[in-house]
Amino acid sequence: MSQTAETFVRQDEGTIVDVFHKWVTRKPGHAALLEKRGAVWQPVTWREFGKRVAEIAFGLKSLGVGKADRVALFAENRLEWTYADLAILALGAISVPIYATSSADQVSYILEHSAAKAIFVNTVQDAAKVARARPTLPHLEKVIIFSAAAQRESFDLTLEEIYQLGREEQASSGARFTDLFADLSLDDLSSIMYTSGTTGPPKGC
């Protein structure tokens, strides 16, 4: 079989976040992702990718999110989903993806069952689904919206505000991004994904 990609990861190279940081530091100017802006696909470099993940991670840290806390992701595919997921893992927290078309009842069940401390949502409509159940979710402290929105009744923070909190937290603490995940191990839980619930209540696995 011909080799079609550079072999860049060995089995002994650490956690998902260790591998991610390796790409950020060794290939900073290379394209990591592509984002469609208008009709044109534009590259996002590993440097920009790493910057955004670090800002979200430090932003979440400033809100009290730490190791083993659950943080949910309720959104369609988008760059920010990936940024947030890796930021959650960098803190040793546990990401809880929720399928983008889930009903309000399904979202409520997963948030309650996982005891999620925070959730990222895509739109105001998604935030409204969470807001309906929020009085019954004592663990849920913050709802963070990816899309900019003027209505603030159903969420607490925008992603831009998280970026700013992250910059402030990192500057005030003097910490490096690597400090956040220095103590993680391959045995740490990274994510809880829930089944569809077609044969009963969704099960976390």
Side-chain angles (χ1 to χ4, degrees):
M1 179 185 293
S2 63
Q3 185 171 350
T4 58
E6 178 183 2
T7 301
F8 203 68
V9 179
R10 297 193 312 270
Q11 192 172 8
D12 62 350
E13 291 199 271
T15 67
I16 293 169
V17 189
D18 288 321
V19 175
F20 167 72
H21 184 63
K22 177 180 177 180
W23 281 90
V24 170
T25 54
R26 295 194 186 180
K27 304 284 187 178
H30 288 232
L33 303 165
L34 292 174
E35 179 183 25
K36 196 170 188 179
R37 300 169 190 162
V40 180
W41 287 97
Q42 299 286 349
V44 176
T45 65
W46 283 101
R47 182 185 294 107
E48 176 67 12
F49 194 179
K51 174 177 178 287
R52 291 307 190 187
V53 170
E55 287 173 347
I56 296 173
F58 278 103
L60 291 174
K61 184 175 184 291
S62 76
L63 298 175
V65 175
K67 191 165 187 179
D69 285 331
R70 276 73 164 161
V71 180
L73 291 157
F74 179 37
E76 298 173 349
N77 288 346
R78 55 185 297 162
L79 288 180
E80 294 83 1
W81 195 105
T82 306
Y83 297 162
D85 187 50
L86 280 161
I88 293 163
L89 300 186
L91 290 170
I94 300 163
S95 67
V96 182
I98 301 176
Y99 197 66
T101 59
S102 296
S103 68
D105 287 343
Q106 290 169 326
V107 172
S108 174
Y109 177 84
I110 292 171
L111 291 175
E112 180 181 13
H113 190 268
S114 66
K117 190 170 187 175
I119 183 172
F120 288 90
V121 299
N122 203 35
T123 64
V124 170
Q125 290 74 26
D126 296 330
K129 290 182 180 181
V130 177
R132 270 178 260 163
R134 200 163 182 181
T136 66
L137 301 171
H139 293 96
L140 187 64
E141 296 179 8
K142 298 295 179 184
V143 177
I144 304 156
I145 193 167
F146 286 142
S147 302
Q151 306 168 20
R152 296 194 69 102
E153 296 83 4
S154 57
F155 64 90
D156 301 296
L157 294 160
T158 65
L159 186 61
E160 287 298 326
E161 289 169 334
I162 290 292
Y163 288 150
Q164 182 60 32
L165 285 174
R167 290 189 289 268
E168 292 170 359
E169 172 70 21
Q170 189 168 13
S172 65
S173 66
R176 298 170 300 175
F177 179 57
T178 50
D179 295 333
L180 299 180
F181 55 91
D183 296 330
L184 297 187
S185 79
L186 295 175
D187 293 323
D188 289 323
L189 181 61
S190 63
S191 187
I192 302 173
M193 289 180 280
Y194 280 79
T195 60
S196 64
T198 52
T199 59
K203 300 172 182 65
C205 49

